[in-house]
Amino acid sequence: MTSQVSSPAEHADGTVVGEQRKPAGTKDVRRLDRVIIRFAGDSGDGMQLTGDRFTSETASFGNDLSTLPNFPAEIRAPAGTLPGVSSFQLHFADHDILTPGDAPNVLVAMNPAALKANIADVPRGAEIIVNTDEFTKRAMQKVGYATSPLEDGSLDGYSVHPVPLTTLTVEALKEFDLTRKEAERSKNMFALGLLSWMYHRPTEGTEKFLTTKFAKKPDIAAANIAAFRAGWNFGETTEDFAVSYEIAPATAAFPTGTYRNISGNLALSYGLIAASTQADLPLYLGSYPITPASDILHELSRHKNFGVRTFQAEDEIAGIGAALGAAFGGSLAVTTTSGPGVALKSETIGLAVSLELPLLVIDIQRGGPSTGLPTKTEQADLLQAMFGRNGEAPVPIVAPQTPADCFDAAIEAARIALTYRTPVLLLSDGYLANGSEPWRIPETDELPDLRVQFAQGPNHTLDDGTEVFWPYKRDPGTLARPWAIPGTPGLEHRIGGIEKQDGTGNISYDPANHDFMVRTRQAKIDGIDVPDVEVDDPHSATTLVLGWGSTYGPITAAVRRLRAAGEAIAQAHLRHLNPFPANLGTVLKAYDRVVIPEMNLGQLATLVRAKYLVDAHSYNQVNGMPFKAEQLATALKEAIDG
């Protein structure tokens, strides 16, 4: 969905963007500045779809938002068990926000397992909506409840709304020719309708979505729409929900433009398409499906009209091999994977370093090692990206900081690869890939010109006056070698992984030549033009918090909290991790204390200490979840006081 923001003041009165059903006049309506909702249920209850629809309507309404989908790695974990719980958290507000929120104000628990798995995150006083139909003795015993939490007083500190969601859904659909089991599947739409009433969300988009999704099964579409409307009507008429809430659009948070809700993987896909268009090159993706990167393959396969070619290979090695072949043939070549796949692709990445061809290697990081945590997030592939190849094989590294920023990061990675003729590693992660936020759709004239000039003829004159083509004769500014399309007359040249002679590209075992080529390839990476790191320091702080990648949101939210409490703290965030920005050393040495929060055991901190001899303090978390803002604020306050 897209929404147009005409000016920051246009909706200052809270005018709703999109269709909205008003609650009955007898109900109290309270205005909030933000709210955090978590939908939780069995992995077959449709919580991700429910959260996604609520998010889409919230985006069309004009709120700022941030999401955190959280689901099991199993295709179908045992029903009603703790490992099978799937959740979707959405934070939306009338102002600029940065994270999915630390703790939900509202928990929708579809069964006992969902309640038990999430109750520890819910603060006292929060609202809990429970599907009482699922709180059977057997279901509660399955997750370790000896007595019903709805009756034993354990939830007395919360505002609990017991709702027989399953029964109400089946009753609402009794006129449809559905079995009870089929009708029960629509209970997530009933819950979505109820929450849409509570928070005045538009409804037209969801009804259109259901009509389109089940176009070949109109009876199922009609049943889901009926359940959705029944949930809305239940909220409007029941005495248990005496209050609904309004969160005004966040128009002051957004520059003028057209916006849409976007996930990190979708933004990355669009960034790759934009880069290929700006480079006037066909886009080729050679990939093997792997969580959480597969959505990029799925999305790009839909865009053949933009000259995109996708190849689902039989394994990771074949995927990158095909991509490197496409690069040799003149395409903007991409391979997508996660950490285990990078390990398998490492030899071919080294070959791309030797061949000096542009290739984008996109790593959507997840918890490891080995298979690890496929659906959980981590930042633990930085050292693998930096050093995970044999020999001296330097590769530039780029990291996006938010889901929407994945678009710009993809374009930046393509710029470096095409300009300097090198493979580039882009490090996103599961948190960015699956999370979403509003994204301003750029105008085409805002995008950089990435067009390249292929070699057309001889580029070197021998001592006897003969004009020849040297495949490793370099541009003096970038040290990039010429990109020669195979089949171009007179540009025949050797390829392969064995060391090349400088200039000619002939096979060479000469020690001095090898030393020269190794140093030249390193100098090419070191010389990549990247912007200086910007420091946000309005109060001349003595403590700097330095981050990279997806820690941007939690770090920035924590910094805002500290500054609001009167603390002075500086912040800097790295997009380019190899090479580092030229001014980074000067920035680090300007502060008494440097704190580096990472979702690993201190990989950036290790690099910073080694390169700049700065005693950086590492603050780490590797539990498969992103940092919480309050958690970081506490750690940073201790650093300031220390």
Side-chain angles (χ1 to χ4, degrees):
M1 286 191 173
T2 60
S3 60
Q4 182 76 28
V5 178
S6 300
S7 70
E10 181 176 341
H11 303 295
D13 61 351
T15 302
V16 173
V17 180
E19 183 188 30
Q20 178 190 17
R21 299 179 184 178
K22 296 294 184 182
T26 57
K27 300 263 188 173
D28 184 22
V29 179
R30 298 179 189 171
R31 172 160 288 190
L32 303 175
D33 65 346
R34 68 185 186 93
V35 72
I36 303 166
I37 298 174
R38 183 181 297 179
F39 298 94
D42 194 71
S43 56
D45 285 340
M47 293 297 93
Q48 302 305 317
L49 175 62
T50 304
D52 181 69
R53 290 314 313 157
F54 197 93
T55 299
S56 293
E57 298 296 7
T58 296
S60 71
F61 189 86
N63 295 117
D64 195 10
L65 62 90
S66 179
T67 68
L68 178 62
N70 187 13
F71 43 88
E74 292 79 9
I75 294 175
R76 188 67 172 89
T81 64
L82 293 175
V85 173
S86 174
S87 68
F88 188 105
Q89 184 162 305
L90 166 67
H91 182 191
F92 60 103
D94 65 2
H95 57 276
D96 176 33
I97 58 173
L98 297 154
T99 74
D102 288 359
N105 307 116
V106 181
L107 171 65
V108 180
M110 303 296 282
N111 60 18
L115 178 65
K116 187 159 191 177
N118 291 280
I119 191 64
D121 294 336
V122 183
R124 294 285 174 169
E127 294 190 80
I128 301 177
I129 300 171
V130 292
N131 179 15
T132 55
D133 288 328
E134 295 297 322
F135 279 73
T136 63
K137 184 176 181 180
R138 184 170 181 269
M140 289 186 290
Q141 288 177 342
K142 190 181 290 188
V143 295
Y145 280 129
T147 59
S148 172
L150 306 182
E151 300 171 355
D152 63 10
S154 60
L155 299 179
D156 285 351
Y158 306 92
S159 178
V160 180
H161 301 277
V163 180
L165 284 170
T166 306
T167 299
L168 291 170
T169 303
V170 172
E171 177 66 19
L173 303 184
K174 63 182 180 181
E175 297 179 1
F176 291 84
D177 186 21
L178 300 173
T179 66
R180 179 178 176 86
K181 187 174 182 180
E182 289 172 334
E184 288 178 357
R185 290 175 183 164
S186 297
K187 63 181 179 288
N188 64 324
M189 288 296 106
F190 188 100
L192 177 60
L194 173 57
L195 269 293
S196 297
W197 171 83
M198 282 183 67
Y199 291 97
H200 296 194
R201 299 297 91 185
T203 61
E204 185 181 43
T206 292
E207 294 190 5
K208 285 183 177 179
F209 168 82
L210 292 170
T211 301
T212 302
K213 180 177 176 64
F214 298 106
K216 296 182 179 179
K217 298 179 179 179
D219 290 345
I220 299 298
N224 276 281
I225 292 171
F228 177 66
R229 290 175 175 173
W232 180 286
N233 293 332
F234 176 78
E236 196 169 50
T237 57
T238 183
E239 294 298 321
D240 194 38
F241 292 91
V243 179
S244 65
Y245 304 93
E246 286 185 349
I247 296 91
T251 49
F254 301 125
T256 301
T258 302
Y259 288 78
R260 60 157 295 159
N261 182 50
I262 201 164
S263 68
N265 274 352
L266 184 58
L268 224 165
S269 301
Y270 288 174
L272 293 172
I273 295 171
S276 73
T277 301
Q278 294 302 106
D280 196 22
L281 296 174
L283 179 64
Y284 183 94
L285 174 67
S287 184
Y288 179 74
I290 183 172
T291 302
S294 300
D295 286 342
I296 302 172
L297 171 61
H298 300 160
E299 182 61 34
L300 289 180
S301 68
R302 300 186 178 106
H303 296 286
K304 297 180 179 64
N305 55 313
F306 284 106
V308 178
R309 289 172 288 179
T310 55
F311 168 57
Q312 180 175 319
E314 65 270 27
D315 55 39
E316 296 281 5
I317 299 172
I320 190 173
L324 185 57
F328 178 61
S331 293
L332 176 58
V334 184
T335 189
T336 52
T337 189
S338 190
V342 174
L344 292 167
K345 297 177 188 292
S346 61
E347 184 178 6
T348 307
I349 297 173
L351 176 59
V353 171
S354 177
L355 298 181
E356 301 189 46
L357 286 172
L359 174 68
L360 303 186
V361 181
I362 295 174
D363 176 7
I364 313 297
Q365 300 167 94
R366 71 189 204 192
S370 190
T371 305
L373 305 172
T375 61
K376 310 302 179 185
T377 195
E378 208 163 273
Q379 283 184 300
D381 294 348
L382 176 56
L383 293 183
Q384 178 179 225
M386 186 74 77
F387 303 118
R389 293 162 296 283
N390 65 295
E392 297 288 345
V395 170
I397 303 171
V398 174
Q401 60 189 30
T402 69
D405 186 50
C406 288
F407 178 88
D408 295 318
I411 292 177
E412 173 64 359
R415 178 192 72 85
I416 293 172
L418 294 171
T419 302
Y420 296 90
R421 310 285 196 268
T422 178
V424 176
L425 266 156
L426 188 151
L427 296 182
S428 179
D429 59 42
Y431 172 39
L432 297 184
N434 296 315
S436 61
E437 65 177 351
W439 171 59
R440 187 182 70 83
I441 302 172
E443 300 294 334
T444 54
D445 59 7
E446 298 176 47
L447 302 177
D449 185 351
L450 300 180
R451 286 174 294 182
V452 297
Q453 183 65 48
F454 292 113
Q456 300 296 322
N459 61 357
H460 183 74
T461 303
L462 299 177
D463 292 341
D464 62 3
T466 304
E467 292 187 339
V468 296
F469 174 68
W470 274 16
Y472 283 83
K473 185 166 186 175
R474 302 178 183 279
D475 180 286
T478 64
L479 297 183
R481 77 174 187 89
W483 194 0
I485 300 299
T488 305
L491 303 190
E492 297 83 1
H493 58 284
R494 293 179 176 84
I495 60 170
I498 298 178
E499 183 63 285
K500 312 292 188 300
Q501 185 182 55
D502 178 45
T504 69
N506 295 333
I507 293 173
S508 173
Y509 295 101
D510 177 62
N513 178 80
H514 177 62
D515 182 273
F516 178 81
M517 292 294 283
V518 166
R519 294 179 186 277
T520 300
R521 286 188 289 261
Q522 183 64 58
K524 180 172 70 170
I525 305 305
D526 292 341
I528 291 174
D529 181 24
V530 302
D532 282 349
V533 62
E534 296 182 0
V535 182
D536 177 19
D537 184 6
H539 303 114
S540 300
T542 58
T543 299
L544 171 72
V545 54
L546 178 69
W548 70 278
S550 66
T551 57
Y552 173 80
I555 288 175
T556 306
V559 166
R560 286 182 181 179
R561 293 188 186 197
L562 289 171
R563 289 177 180 169
E567 301 289 344
I569 186 168
Q571 178 186 1
H573 209 78
L574 294 174
R575 174 192 291 282
H576 297 92
L577 297 154
N578 192 33
F580 285 131
N583 69 329
L584 181 58
T586 302
V587 166
L588 294 173
K589 291 174 182 176
Y591 292 90
D592 295 340
R593 289 172 297 277
V594 177
V595 184
I596 304 179
E598 297 181 80
M599 292 188 293
N600 57 48
L601 294 182
Q603 297 189 13
L604 175 61
T606 297
L607 296 173
V608 165
R609 292 185 191 118
K611 185 173 180 64
Y612 300 108
L613 303 180
V614 170
D615 186 20
H617 172 70
S618 189
Y619 182 75
N620 310 116
Q621 172 178 294
V622 281
N623 62 5
M625 298 294 289
F627 284 112
K628 293 182 177 180
E630 185 62 32
Q631 165 197 3
L632 273 182
T634 300
L636 295 176
K637 177 66 166 63
E638 292 174 356
I640 294 171
D641 294 342

